Amino acid sequence: MPFDAVVTRSVVNELNELLVGGRVDKTYQPFCDEIILNIRSKGYNHKLLVTVNPSCPRIHLTNMQKENPINAPMFSMLLRKHLTGGRVLSITCDDFERIVMIEVESRTELGDLLKKRLVIEIMGKYSNIILVNHENKIIDSIKHVDNEMSAVREIMPAREYIMPPVQDKISPFDVSVDELFYKADVELGECILSTIKGFSPYIIKNICKRASVSYNDVIGDLSQQDIAKVKEELTMVIDKIRRNEFIGCIVHGEKDDFYCIDFGEKNVEIMPSVNECIDKFYQDKSILSAINSEKANLLRVVNTNISRCNKKMNLQENKIREAKRDYDSKIYGDLLVSNLYRIPGDADFVVLENFFSPDMEKIRIPLDPKISPNDNAQRYFKRYRKAKNTIKMQKEELDKTKDELEYLEGVLHSIENCSNMNDLEEVKEELQEEGYQTSKYSKYSKKVVNRVSCPRKFVTKDGFIIMVGKNNKQNDELTLRWASPHDMWLHIRGGQGSHVVIRTDKKEVPMDVIYKAACLGAYYSKEREARVVEVDYTFVKNVRKSKNGKPGKVIYYNSKTISVTPGIDETLTFDIKK
């Protein structure tokens, strides 16, 4: 995501065409390091986003909807005072530095026209937004820099604005490509980076890639043919920059990226403008970040409860084991009752023949000498009854805990497969209904009203529709409400996974369609990475909700089993219609 000087130049070119001559209508400050200027120009309203967040400082037009704080920050109020109603005279960037200057002419309180500059310095963690008056004095900045923070350059109100120190590099327009690679002992990428102003490692790596060399290759190790190819690609890029031939490109891959020059990479999405490209890139990134954040929150809740269930299971199993030790108490009691006449009243133990044993082995039974032999027997009977009740109760609780654990593992699988906020919200609502989440709404809930559960839908070549649930609530909806009794139902055997339904329209389903649906059921399950998965299939009329069962839990019978390899058949068409 290199917002380098070349990208800055391409953005400014577009901003000049769209915004110069326009009026600043409103100013906002959604975050402490971000402002938005509403500019009315050439009959259109534009939102200019400027952020100096250290992780992604940038300037571009946006259509993002952002909530503003109830009380406007001081810097936002200052911008409203000095810029609102002002006319945009020019938008420039200084040479190949990442410094954008927006000159605005506005009236003072006395009605005088004065020029002011909004300076945007895009310099990583040192990025800043500075408002400068007509005398080149700083009115204020979004970040203050005093002499303790920087002895070289203060950014404080009433100080004279001084440009950042310039780079000791050559402008791309002035560089001599033929004389560039004279240092034989320097790496190719480092040579270009340290010589040409405004170039980032991203653009240099792509030049090297197109020239079939490496960024880290030492110049002296390259052939003359390699050097000639690098010069050719470098010249092509410089010519594009000189002619302002910029185009918005989003490169999709393991890690998405964007740039303003098309280097001919695979999986490139071409956008109408660089501004739209950057805006879409960061919107997608923001949505992905929000999804990952919400997903992490839900995973934390579910994993916490899974850990709780595992601990509870261990305690319940330990109690059962301990209670089983007292099962012999009934034998002790029966033997004592049968031999009361033989037991002395003050004995602390007695040895009796165990007639419950085939060999009539003798058994030593501890006694309490303070009570009678009969009371000792009754005490053993009582201990046995308590152990029996404990085992019964703990087994019932253990079964409930196992069911809960199975349910939570299914929810965990659903969360991991969620790809959008709506799917996550459905899982969140399910957890709330089951008592695992106490908060009624998330910050996204109000935006998603009356959501309709939409399973994944695939269509075979011969027209059969296969639907796959995304979460437990959707599985219930799909199986128990949407599917008809004569539809085919599939689920992996003895594991967590999605419900799969084949719409039959009372027609016979070919075996190859069942196989493809079974492959989908295996793919959208916890067994996705397995080589072979067993999948059960039956008619929907043979599936019913288990009594008091958790969401997604069903009972089925009259099923058949098929072994498949998880995957999505290439002949299936994914239907995105709701």
Side-chain angles (χ1 to χ4, degrees):
M1 301 170 290
F3 204 97
D4 58 19
V6 179
V7 173
T8 305
R9 187 181 183 89
S10 67
V11 170
V12 168
N13 284 346
E14 292 181 359
L15 295 181
N16 262 298
E17 293 180 11
L18 295 171
L19 303 183
V20 170
R23 296 271 178 185
V24 179
D25 187 23
K26 295 178 182 177
T27 64
Y28 302 102
Q29 190 175 348
F31 302 103
C32 62
D33 53 9
E34 182 175 296
I35 65 168
I36 293 177
L37 303 180
N38 278 15
I39 300 174
R40 177 75 177 174
S41 176
K42 300 174 183 176
Y44 294 95
N45 291 320
H46 302 277
K47 288 196 295 185
L48 181 63
L49 171 75
V50 182
T51 177
V52 288
N53 186 303
S55 63
C56 51
R58 63 192 190 276
I59 174 174
H60 59 88
L61 295 175
T62 184
N63 59 16
M64 289 190 217
Q65 298 296 326
K66 299 201 175 189
E67 293 183 9
N68 295 301
I70 297 173
N71 298 316
M74 289 299 296
F75 188 68
S76 176
M77 296 296 288
L78 184 81
L79 293 180
R80 290 178 187 178
K81 176 184 175 182
H82 290 276
L83 300 184
T84 300
R87 187 164 61 94
V88 179
L89 299 179
S90 65
I91 303 175
T92 59
C93 58
D94 185 64
D95 196 13
F96 276 85
E97 302 289 346
R98 290 183 296 171
I99 299 173
V100 180
M101 294 188 180
I102 304 175
E103 190 170 35
V104 178
E105 185 181 57
S106 60
R107 292 190 180 276
T108 65
E109 295 174 351
L110 299 176
D112 298 327
L113 280 173
L114 288 179
K115 294 178 182 178
K116 288 153 192 171
R117 280 179 298 149
L118 191 65
V119 183
I120 298 101
E121 299 178 349
I122 303 172
M123 302 185 299
K125 65 179 181 178
Y126 302 110
S127 299
N128 211 339
I129 304 171
I130 307 161
L131 184 62
V132 179
N133 67 13
H134 64 288
E135 296 177 338
N136 201 40
K137 295 291 181 68
I138 297 173
I139 299 173
D140 206 350
S141 61
I142 205 164
K143 296 179 184 178
H144 289 173
V145 181
D146 57 25
N147 57 5
E148 292 184 1
M149 299 170 67
S150 173
V152 178
R153 183 169 172 263
E154 283 186 274
I155 306 294
M156 296 290 289
R159 303 289 198 279
E160 184 178 357
Y161 174 72
I162 301 172
M163 293 280 289
V166 297
Q167 303 176 72
D168 186 21
K169 298 181 182 180
I170 306 171
S171 167
F173 297 162
D174 300 327
V175 71
S176 173
V177 174
D178 293 330
E179 299 175 4
L180 187 60
F181 307 108
Y182 63 92
K183 294 182 180 178
D185 57 344
V186 179
E187 290 183 355
L188 175 62
E190 186 58 34
C191 174
I192 301 174
L193 187 65
S194 61
T195 304
I196 302 179
K197 185 184 291 188
F199 274 28
S200 62
Y202 179 87
I203 191 172
I204 300 170
K205 286 177 181 177
N206 276 282
I207 289 171
C208 293
K209 184 179 178 181
R210 287 176 61 85
S212 302
V213 297
S214 171
Y215 182 93
N216 298 315
D217 284 344
V218 177
I219 292 175
D221 296 337
L222 297 174
S223 66
Q224 289 300 316
Q225 185 179 358
D226 290 336
I227 294 291
K229 185 62 176 173
V230 173
K231 288 180 179 179
E232 180 184 338
E233 294 297 332
L234 182 57
T235 301
M236 180 201 71
V237 170
I238 291 174
D239 287 343
K240 283 189 175 184
I241 296 171
R242 183 178 284 110
R243 293 192 298 266
N244 292 325
E245 291 181 0
F246 300 115
I247 185 169
C249 306
I250 298 179
V251 183
H252 297 287
E254 186 175 336
K255 185 178 180 182
D256 288 359
D257 225 324
F258 74 88
Y259 207 63
C260 59
I261 296 174
D262 184 9
F263 289 103
E265 296 178 273
K266 295 180 180 179
N267 301 320
V268 174
E269 181 181 359
I270 304 298
M271 301 295 294
S273 69
V274 178
N275 276 271
E276 289 183 52
C277 164
I278 298 170
D279 189 44
K280 183 179 187 302
F281 177 83
Y282 282 104
Q283 279 200 53
D284 292 347
K285 185 181 177 185
S286 176
I287 292 169
L288 183 62
S289 176
I291 289 172
N292 290 337
S293 176
E294 192 75 359
K295 188 179 285 191
N297 291 337
L298 294 178
L299 287 173
R300 183 169 58 252
V301 170
V302 174
N303 282 321
T304 298
N305 282 282
I306 286 176
S307 178
R308 176 185 58 79
C309 283
N310 284 323
K311 289 178 182 177
K312 191 193 290 188
M313 279 180 57
N314 289 333
L315 289 172
Q316 290 163 345
E317 289 170 347
N318 287 336
K319 286 181 179 179
I320 291 172
R321 279 193 293 269
E322 290 173 5
K324 283 182 177 178
R325 294 172 189 165
D326 287 336
Y327 251 44
D328 290 340
S329 297
K330 186 176 185 302
I331 297 174
Y332 289 178
D334 288 338
L335 293 177
L336 289 174
V337 169
S338 301
N339 293 277
L340 288 175
Y341 66 95
R342 298 175 55 189
I343 304 171
D346 57 349
D348 56 2
F349 72 92
V350 65
V351 178
L352 300 172
E353 292 85 1
N354 182 6
F355 49 76
F356 294 102
S357 171
D359 300 329
M360 294 290 288
E361 295 176 352
K362 289 189 176 183
I363 185 170
R364 186 178 187 275
I365 303 174
L367 298 174
D368 184 351
K370 297 178 183 178
I371 59 176
S372 68
N374 184 59
D375 288 343
N376 272 291
Q378 297 306 317
R379 179 178 286 182
Y380 276 118
F381 285 136
K382 184 178 180 180
R383 186 183 297 176
Y384 165 74
R385 288 193 296 271
K386 182 180 179 182
K388 184 179 178 181
N389 290 333
T390 298
I391 291 172
K392 180 183 178 183
M393 183 181 68
Q394 291 301 322
K395 280 186 175 179
E396 290 175 354
E397 292 299 315
L398 182 61
D399 288 341
K400 290 179 182 177
T401 305
K402 287 180 177 178
D403 286 343
E404 183 182 7
L405 185 61
E406 183 182 357
Y407 165 73
L408 288 169
E409 287 175 346
V411 174
L412 195 69
H413 168 70
S414 296
I415 294 170
E416 290 169 348
N417 281 337
C418 285
S419 59
N420 58 61
M421 196 58 72
N422 281 10
D423 292 345
L424 285 171
E425 279 300 319
E426 287 187 354
V427 176
K428 187 182 183 74
E429 288 172 4
E430 179 186 331
L431 291 173
Q432 289 168 4
E433 291 169 5
E434 294 299 316
Y436 296 104
Q437 281 272 69
T438 55
S439 59
K440 190 174 181 181
Y441 299 107
S442 76
K443 61 182 179 179
Y444 300 99
S445 299
K446 296 178 183 179
K447 298 178 183 177
V448 187
V449 182
N450 296 324
R451 283 181 298 271
V452 178
S453 216
C454 297
R456 301 178 182 91
K457 187 185 290 186
F458 298 86
V459 183
T460 65
K461 280 188 174 180
D462 42 2
F464 284 95
I465 295 174
I466 304 173
M467 292 183 290
V468 184
K470 295 179 182 176
N471 52 59
N472 288 319
K473 287 184 69 176
Q474 201 176 93
N475 285 337
D476 280 349
E477 289 285 313
L478 176 60
T479 301
L480 305 174
R481 290 187 58 188
W482 294 349
S484 66
H486 296 283
D487 289 340
M488 190 70 72
W489 182 88
L490 303 93
H491 194 278
I492 67 164
R493 173 183 280 267
Q496 298 298 323
S498 299
H499 292 198
V500 180
V501 169
I502 306 173
R503 290 280 196 190
T504 64
D505 294 328
K506 296 185 179 181
K507 294 186 295 186
E508 185 177 350
V509 183
M511 200 62 210
D512 68 311
V513 174
I514 294 176
Y515 182 84
K516 292 172 183 177
C519 290
L520 287 172
Y523 182 78
Y524 291 108
S525 75
K526 291 187 70 175
E527 303 300 320
R528 176 180 290 191
E529 302 301 325
R531 293 184 62 186
V532 178
V533 178
E534 289 189 334
V535 178
D536 291 339
Y537 63 96
T538 185
F539 289 107
V540 170
K541 64 183 179 181
N542 298 327
V543 183
R544 62 182 175 86
K545 185 73 178 173
S546 57
K547 187 178 180 180
N548 299 323
K550 294 279 189 181
K553 184 79 171 179
V554 295
I555 297 171
Y556 59 94
Y557 51 93
N558 290 343
S559 64
K560 296 180 181 179
T561 305
I562 184 172
S563 296
V564 299
T565 300
I568 301 176
D569 193 277
E570 293 179 356
T571 61
L572 293 176
T573 303
F574 183 63
D575 187 354
I576 62 173
K577 294 179 181 178
K578 301 297 183 185

